[in-house]
Every structure is written in structure tokens, then in C-alpha cells.
Amino acid sequence: MLSINNLHVAVDDKAILKGVDLTVKAGEVHAIMGPNGSGKSTLCHVLAGRPGYQVTQGGVDYQGADLLALEPEIRAREGLFLAFQYPVEIPGISNLYFLKAAINARRKHEGKGPMPAVAFLRMVREKAACVELDEGLLNRSLNVGFSGGEKKRNEIFQMLVLEPTLALLDETDSGLDIDALRVVAEGVNKLRSEGRAILLVTHYQRLLDYIVPDYVHVLAGGRIVRSGDKDLAHKLEAEGYGWIENEAST
Amino acid sequence: MSGNQLVKAIAAQDYKYGFVTDIESDTLPPGLDEGVIRFISAKKNEPQWLLDSRLKAFARWKTMKEPDWAYLNIAPIDYQSISYYSAPKSIKKLGSLDEVDPKLLETYDKLGIPLLEQKRLANVAVDAVFDSVSVGTTFKDTLAEAGVIFCPISEAVQSHPELVKKYLGSVVPAQDNFFSALNAAVFTDGSFVYIPEGVTSPMELSTYFRINERNTGQFERTLIIAEAGSYVSYLEGCTAPERDENQLHAAVVELVVFDDAEIKYSTVQNWYPGDEEGIGGIYNFVTKRGACRGARSKISWTQVETGSAITWKYPSCVLIGDDSVGEFYSVALTNRRQQADTGTKMIHIGKNTRSTIISKGISAGRGVQCYRGLVDIKKSAVGARNFSQCDSLLIGDECGAHTFPYLEIKNPRAQVEHEATTSRISEDQLFFCQQRGIGVEEAVGIIVSGFWKDVFKELPMEFAAEATQLMAVSLEGTVG
């Protein structure tokens, strides 16, 4: 589904990613861990198409298409979803209205008409209940006045509504208390299916107690320096990143 | 797309009404003196009192200076280089609209204002003003049956001189300001509306102003009188061709409302805004004021301002009657290098008078915008209340927004509330929308419509669609 080949990315001429290789197949959950500043968020943003990043080498294939050549909104309509580390606030647009615009943009892309209002409302209520999102938040302006935990729940809620093919979660666990973490993890687990892939970026092993990944990768110094299964995450939790960085530099 | 690209794309919008109608006109050579005023007055066959009042205003104007307190950067205006009268040659006394020059009909068709019977907007009567003259008014007969008078003001001077004489200049006296004095001296046409006691106008009334001729100014004059217990909803629209020179539009609008009557006055202003570098465009210097003379009378101003190089405009309400109500709902968009200094004055004189001000300013490109509003509560206005909300939205980082609220409160039992916010459409917001599958253009659209919906819902139904389109056109092209 996703194939990242020798990806080099710079921001303001400073190299951040220095040759990332990663293949993600449908049905898999991959976790990307790594120390601060290793390029984890950069990887998510480049895949989603955020402006301000220069791809200097390499490429990304997504379902047979050159992902990096697509506009961000086209990537989204093709099923790529990014749960933001810092979701933005948009005053004046209700959560519900925003989601409807998003769903209908995707349906239009697929050659379908707008979703009927009744079906939309029913579906939205159901998904909101999944992540224990207060229904009152649906009619509030997007993320405006939401607590940190509500914003993250709202991201997972949007993900469930939009049913992405490839979901990228950028440190969705950061700043969450243990209850919120469980709710978010349940949301992600609901999404797990044969046709979908999930890429989790996280600092801590904690999230992986709830969402058990098929693969764990360590991103350090702009490269994936080690890959393994969930045991690698436990080892990182116990021993830190130092030993890997040492191995990588020798 | 980066923020800069976005701003450039927005600023590079095409103006869709910039065409010129090739029609032969009677145009006075540029210049302003008593002779010009006598010419205009004679051309319109005016009575002596009106000529005298024009000449008096002109004498006054010559002693006045342009206001310089607005937050505007205005290149000097040479009043002698403007032509003060221009009319299509084909305009004569017409028996019916079917005799209107086809070129003029075509012009209004292109502007989306069909004048011919079979194509007319349902339930909206239109008066079309082309440069200095009215070219036609629709549905006159239907209105006459209800007793409503809706005609060009030049015609009203002939057919209802007593009404015009009684009310003209009674709300905005000639000496009020520099531009109102100029208008009182040289005004050419505009609309006149009279709603008799107890009558609700059977349809929306609308005037469509079009500047066509080069180097001309448009100085229209509108007068609306609503007798006790009557109601009318009135809308004006404005466009002009694209030209490299600035053109002056200095209008005066007066509203008079008696006991329990209401005037709802809406404006969709889309004069040519000038190009991306600020060359050309209309100077829109307008004095609009309404007097709520009767108890429980009401005036509601709603404006959607997307055009003009420079806008200087403060539709105001003088709340004289007890329990009278003044409202001001405004959305103004400045793009390219447009400048706007706009707002309102609410003058509370009667007891328990109430006013509401909702102003939404959107700045994009290198546009600069100012809200300037006065809430003046006189000593007599026991129990007066005002609520003001002024919000600014910035798109890109080369535009500006300013808010200047003035409060003068002389009655201790008055209640005044003021809220103001400023926000910016950020690249992060746009990227967020894109990541959810919403294109930049649509994203800007929904963010803007979320911002101005409080004002939008005040527009008459028939024009809500037009205004939405206008906003979309003014903002579209954001995908580079």
C-alpha cells in the first residue's frame, strides 16, 4: 500500500530525513518510535503534503501512485488521513459542518453525490459514541475551546468518520490521561482491518500496550536504524535510545 | 500552496463586471462651476427652489475641505477633471421599458439584472441608473396600485415636488460634510420611494447603479420615506467598468421613518476595486443616514461591500422616536490594494431606543480596513441600549485591520456593550482542511462564510444567493 524509498527531506536547506525506507502492507500496523528531533513528525507531514518541506531525493508510492505529486486534498480523498499532534481551531465552522464538507469532498472525488443528511447524522452520532465524544461538541466551532484531550478525541472521531485507507497518527497519545488514551486506542483498534494500514508515531511504549503493532521501527538521525516487533518497543522503554544511536553511529 | 501564493492568488482575482458599454453619450466636458450646475438643473427641468438649493450647496462646498480623519490614503482628487453629467444619447421620455436602447438592456442582462418584463426577478422592482440618469423602472404599475411611489428622483421632482421639497436634505443637510455638499450641488439621479401610511410594499425595491462613461463621477441621491405603520425592503447594487483612472462616486441616501414603520436597506456594493497594484477603481464616498422620527420606528442597514478602491461610508441612524430601533449589519471585504474606512453612527435621542451593530471585516491581499463607529447616547435617551460587535478576519500577512469604536454616553441609565475580535486564516488551518479532503478554495470559503454568517442572514432572501456568489467570486481562484 505504502512504499517509501530512500526518502530525503530538508526544511530550509537543513536535512531532516536522510534516506528513509519503509514498506507498509494493507492490514498492518506499524509503530515509529525515536528520540526527539529524529524526524518522526516530518515524515507524517511530508506524507500528508504539508507545505514547507523539500523532498531532495527518493519518493513515495501509495497504491500505485506517486504520492508526493498529489495535492494534499487529493491524498486525503484517496484515503490518507493524518491525526494531527496539534489540531487547529477554526472559529465559526461547526464540527459537524466541517465533517460534512470533508465527507462530501471525498464522495465527490469518488463520483458519488452528497451524503443524505439523515444517514450522515446517524453515522456521526454512532462514531462519536465510539470515542465517548460529547455530542455537544459536534455543534461547537471546530476545536475552539476544546481541551487537549477533547481535541485528540476529535481527531480520532474524524478518522472513524472518514474511514481512511492509510491512517497516520502523529503522537496522538501525547498529553492524554490514561482514560483518554484507552478511548483513543479503542478507536484506532476499531479501524484495524484487512484493507487498512495504520502508521503510529509515538514517543512512548505506553500506547503500544493498547494498540499492538505488527512492526516497530526506530527512527534516529533521519533514518530507520532498526526494525523489529513489539518486543523492540519494550526494550526501548527499558533501555532508552542510546544503545541504538551508538550502534547506528558505529 | 504557501501563504504567499495563496494571497497572490486571491489578490489576482478578475473583476467580472469590468466591461464597457459602447453607447453614445451626452457628456459634459470636465469641470465644475455654476454653469455646470445650471446645466444639470435645466437638463432635468427643475423648479427654481431646487436650483437655488444646489447653488447654495455649491457655494458652501467651495469653502469646505475634504475630511482627513479617516484611516485612508487618498491621492489628491482634481474636482475640475471630472465630468459631472453623462447620459446615453438614446434616453428620451420613454413610454415603456420596451423602448429602452437594446444596448442598455444588454448591459443590465450581462450584469444579471434583467429589465425586460419576461425575464424579471420575481417580486423585485428595479430602477436602473446608468451614469447620471435612470434608464428604467420595473413594476411601476403594480406598485402604484398599492400606493407606493418608486421612481427616479428626477421624475419625483416633477411628479411629487411637495414630498421632495419637504424631505430632501432633511436628514443629511448639504453642509453636513464635504461630499454631501458636493452631492447636493451636482446630484444627477437616484431613486425616490414613498410608502404611504399602513402600507407594506408588495415587493422588494431595488436600484442598480452602473458607472459606464470615462472620467465621470456618479452623484446619486436616494430618498425613502416610510409613513406610519408602513414597511419596505430596499436593495441597491453597484458596478463599474475597469479603468486605469479613479472615478468618484459620492452619493447621499436619506431615510425617514415614522411611527411603527420600518425600512430595511440593503447594499451589495461591487464597484470596480482597481487592479492588483492599486491602479484605477472607484472612490466610494457615501453619506447614508436615516432618521427614526416616529415612536417604535426601525431602520436596518445591511451592507455587503466587496468593491471600490476606497470606501468611506458610515450608514447611520438617528433614533429620535421613543422605542425606535437602529441596526447595522456589515460585511466588508478588502482585497488587492483596496482600502475601506467604514462603520456606523447610532445616535440615541428618544427613550428606550435600541441599536445593534454587527460588523465583519475581511482583509486579503494588501487590503486595509477600518471599522469606525460612534454610539452617541444623549442625555434624553433614558434606558437606551446598544450592542456592538466588530470582528476582523485577515487572510495572508500583507493586509491590515483596525477598529475605532467611539462611545459618548450622557445618560447614566444607558447600557452599552462592545465586543471585538481579530483572527487570521492561517496556513495551518488551510492545511488542516486540505488534509480532510477540502480544497483550499472551498476551505477559504467555509472559513469566511462561518465568519460572516451573522450578517448574511439579515439579507433579503432574493439577494442572499447573489451576495454569496459575490463573496465567492471575490475570494475564488485561491488554488494557484
Side-chain angles (χ1 to χ4, degrees):
Chain A
M1 175 183 297
L2 180 74
S3 167
I4 303 173
N5 306 304
N6 191 29
L7 185 66
H8 287 67
V9 173
V11 175
D12 296 333
D13 295 327
K14 184 173 179 279
I16 308 284
L17 298 183
K18 302 167 186 169
V20 172
D21 289 290
L22 180 66
T23 301
V24 178
K25 295 202 182 81
E28 294 177 350
V29 174
H30 291 241
I32 296 186
M33 304 183 73
N36 286 328
S38 59
K40 302 188 299 292
S41 285
T42 298
L43 181 61
C44 288
H45 288 154
V46 168
L47 293 177
R50 190 184 200 111
Y53 297 91
Q54 298 98 44
V55 175
T56 51
Q57 217 182 314
V60 180
D61 180 284
Y62 172 65
Q63 296 185 313
D66 176 2
L67 182 72
L68 303 180
L70 302 176
E71 289 292 328
E73 61 269 30
I74 305 298
R75 300 181 199 192
R77 291 172 202 163
E78 291 284 340
L80 186 147
F81 181 94
L82 170 63
F84 285 75
Q85 185 177 3
Y86 304 109
V88 299
E89 300 183 359
I90 305 184
I93 305 178
S94 76
N95 225 347
L96 218 50
Y97 183 83
F98 178 77
L99 264 179
K100 203 166 146 216
I103 284 188
N104 287 337
R106 178 153 171 196
R107 287 175 66 99
K108 194 174 170 196
H109 183 70
E110 292 165 350
K112 296 183 202 157
M115 191 169 205
V118 175
F120 172 74
L121 278 174
R122 191 182 304 133
M123 185 263 291
V124 159
R125 290 224 172 90
E126 187 191 308
K127 306 270 161 124
C130 283
V131 289
E132 297 171 25
L133 188 78
D134 181 357
E135 269 193 39
L137 296 182
L138 295 177
N139 291 315
R140 293 247 304 267
S141 287
L142 186 68
N143 290 329
V144 177
F146 286 30
S147 71
E150 283 169 341
K151 283 183 186 172
K152 293 291 178 76
R153 271 183 217 217
N154 202 21
E155 290 293 285
I156 299 304
F157 163 62
Q158 289 173 34
M159 181 178 81
L160 292 179
V161 168
L162 293 171
E163 302 184 324
T165 309
L166 172 65
L168 313 172
L169 284 82
D170 187 7
E171 302 205 16
T172 301
D173 52 335
S174 67
L176 289 187
D177 62 36
I178 204 78
D179 290 333
L181 187 72
R182 179 187 49 77
V183 168
V184 163
E186 277 171 14
V188 175
N189 285 331
K190 279 214 175 68
L191 199 72
R192 280 180 97 149
S193 77
E194 274 180 22
R196 297 204 174 97
I198 296 167
L199 198 63
L200 295 169
V201 166
T202 181
H203 251 316
Y204 305 106
Q205 193 270 331
R206 199 175 60 155
L207 179 67
L208 307 183
D209 288 341
Y210 298 95
I211 308 168
V212 180
D214 299 303
Y215 300 93
V216 174
H217 310 277
V218 178
L219 188 65
R223 272 197 205 101
I224 289 180
V225 293
R226 184 166 287 241
S227 297
D229 59 14
K230 62 182 188 333
D231 296 335
L232 177 58
H234 288 291
K235 186 167 169 157
L236 292 169
E237 185 80 354
E239 300 176 26
Y241 292 109
W243 61 277
I244 288 181
E245 285 173 323
N246 287 339
E247 271 183 28
S249 57
T250 52
Chain B
M1 163 182 286
S2 75
N4 259 342
Q5 280 175 300
L6 171 73
V7 169
K8 281 189 189 123
I10 293 176
Q13 269 324 294
D14 281 341
Y15 181 72
K16 307 205 164 168
Y17 309 98
F19 62 90
V20 178
T21 305
D22 183 17
I23 192 161
E24 255 193 285
S25 288
D26 262 331
T27 304
L28 266 187
L32 180 57
D33 56 23
E34 275 198 25
V36 167
I37 292 165
R38 286 178 193 281
F39 172 88
I40 294 170
S41 190
K43 196 89 186 164
K44 304 207 174 263
N45 199 21
E46 287 177 351
Q48 188 63 38
W49 67 265
L50 191 48
L51 174 62
D52 292 344
S53 115
R54 285 175 180 275
L55 292 173
K56 205 172 136 201
F58 181 59
R60 187 65 187 251
W61 177 74
K62 285 193 287 188
T63 68
M64 297 170 87
K65 284 207 164 59
E66 288 164 314
D68 58 2
W69 41 261
Y71 197 87
L72 298 170
N73 189 358
I74 309 171
I77 301 168
D78 178 1
Y79 293 91
Q80 295 302 332
S81 72
I82 298 170
S83 165
Y84 289 83
Y85 184 84
S86 176
K89 265 194 177 152
S90 54
I91 290 283
K92 287 185 228 82
K93 286 247 178 262
L94 296 176
S96 82
L97 276 166
D98 300 335
E99 296 169 40
V100 173
D101 189 318
K103 268 189 184 161
L104 285 171
L105 292 177
E106 204 182 295
T107 301
Y108 284 90
D109 267 350
K110 261 164 111 174
L111 295 169
I113 313 290
L115 295 179
L116 281 185
E117 198 89 45
Q118 66 270 25
K119 295 186 196 162
R120 276 177 212 161
L121 291 164
N123 212 34
V124 180
V126 179
D127 182 24
V129 177
F130 192 85
D131 288 334
S132 304
V133 291
S134 168
V135 298
T137 309
T138 64
F139 288 114
K140 259 182 163 170
D141 299 343
T142 319
L143 291 168
E145 277 169 37
V148 172
I149 305 168
F150 178 41
C151 65
I153 200 158
S154 56
E155 197 182 305
V157 169
Q158 308 299 329
S159 57
H160 302 89
E162 70 298 338
L163 286 174
V164 177
K165 193 172 179 184
K166 186 171 174 191
Y167 292 108
L168 191 74
S170 72
V171 183
V172 181
Q175 67 274 16
D176 186 78
N177 67 70
F178 183 86
F179 297 109
S180 66
L182 179 62
N183 178 284
V186 302
F187 77 86
T188 43
D189 224 331
S191 297
F192 175 82
V193 178
Y194 177 83
I195 316 287
E197 192 170 336
V199 170
T200 294
S201 177
M203 55 184 68
E204 305 263 349
L205 306 184
S206 170
T207 301
Y208 200 87
F209 295 99
R210 173 76 176 168
I211 298 179
N212 187 61
E213 196 59 33
R214 186 178 293 274
N215 295 328
T216 55
Q218 190 174 53
F219 305 93
E220 92 257 5
R221 186 97 195 183
T222 296
L223 177 59
I224 304 180
I225 301 142
E227 293 283 7
S230 67
Y231 172 82
V232 65
S233 169
Y234 176 92
L235 184 125
E236 59 171 1
C238 332
T239 59
E242 286 182 40
R243 298 193 190 282
D244 290 344
E245 312 90 40
N246 294 110
Q247 284 182 285
L248 180 62
H249 172 256
V252 171
V253 175
E254 296 177 282
L255 313 182
V256 182
V257 192
F258 293 98
D259 288 2
D260 300 294
E262 176 178 351
I263 297 177
K264 185 174 175 63
Y265 192 106
S266 313
T267 303
V268 175
Q269 185 266 108
N270 188 26
W271 296 117
Y272 177 54
D275 69 9
E276 293 87 80
E277 295 309 315
I279 308 294
I282 301 291
Y283 286 173
N284 188 34
F285 300 155
V286 172
T287 306
K288 290 184 169 172
R289 195 175 304 154
C292 283
R293 295 205 178 144
R296 298 166 304 277
S297 57
K298 180 175 174 185
I299 289 175
S300 182
W301 298 101
T302 305
Q303 55 174 23
V304 176
E305 304 270 326
T306 58
S308 297
I310 302 179
T311 298
W312 177 94
K313 177 181 170 188
Y314 316 89
S316 303
C317 299
V318 186
L319 304 171
I320 302 160
D322 291 348
D323 302 291
S324 60
V325 176
E327 294 175 339
F328 175 74
Y329 300 99
S330 170
V331 174
L333 172 75
T334 49
N335 197 351
R336 305 185 180 188
R337 283 184 179 259
Q338 285 173 271
Q339 308 173 60
D341 192 298
T342 183
T344 183
K345 289 192 279 188
M346 292 292 176
I347 298 160
H348 292 252
I349 297 168
K351 293 190 188 86
N352 300 317
T353 45
R354 282 172 291 145
S355 64
T356 304
I357 300 171
I358 309 280
S359 164
K360 304 274 178 176
I362 301 159
S363 299
R366 285 175 284 180
V368 177
Q369 185 161 151
C370 249
Y371 168 81
R372 186 183 304 277
L374 169 69
V375 176
D376 183 359
I377 296 185
K378 305 288 188 199
K379 208 166 174 213
S380 53
V382 178
R385 275 187 291 162
N386 162 266
F387 173 76
S388 303
Q389 182 171 350
C390 308
D391 298 327
S392 305
L393 182 68
L394 304 171
I395 306 176
D397 52 12
E398 290 183 274
C399 53
H402 311 270
T403 303
F404 300 105
Y406 303 82
L407 301 174
E408 284 181 25
I409 298 153
K410 308 243 167 58
N411 187 300
R413 290 172 59 196
Q415 264 184 44
V416 175
E417 286 175 74
H418 180 91
E419 291 177 10
T421 66
T422 301
S423 52
R424 185 186 291 278
I425 297 186
S426 65
E427 259 181 68
D428 284 352
Q429 285 175 328
L430 290 177
F431 177 64
F432 189 87
C433 293
Q434 283 179 289
Q435 210 305 301
R436 298 297 184 255
I438 302 167
V440 172
E441 203 167 288
E442 195 190 346
V444 170
I446 63 174
I447 293 172
V448 169
S449 63
F451 177 74
W452 75 301
K453 65 180 174 211
D454 293 350
V455 173
F456 179 76
K457 62 176 197 263
E458 296 299 328
L459 282 174
M461 277 279 279
E462 285 82 349
F463 298 99
E466 187 188 334
T468 313
Q469 257 175 14
L470 187 61
M471 291 299 281
V473 163
S474 302
L475 285 163
E476 88 183 357
T478 51
V479 179

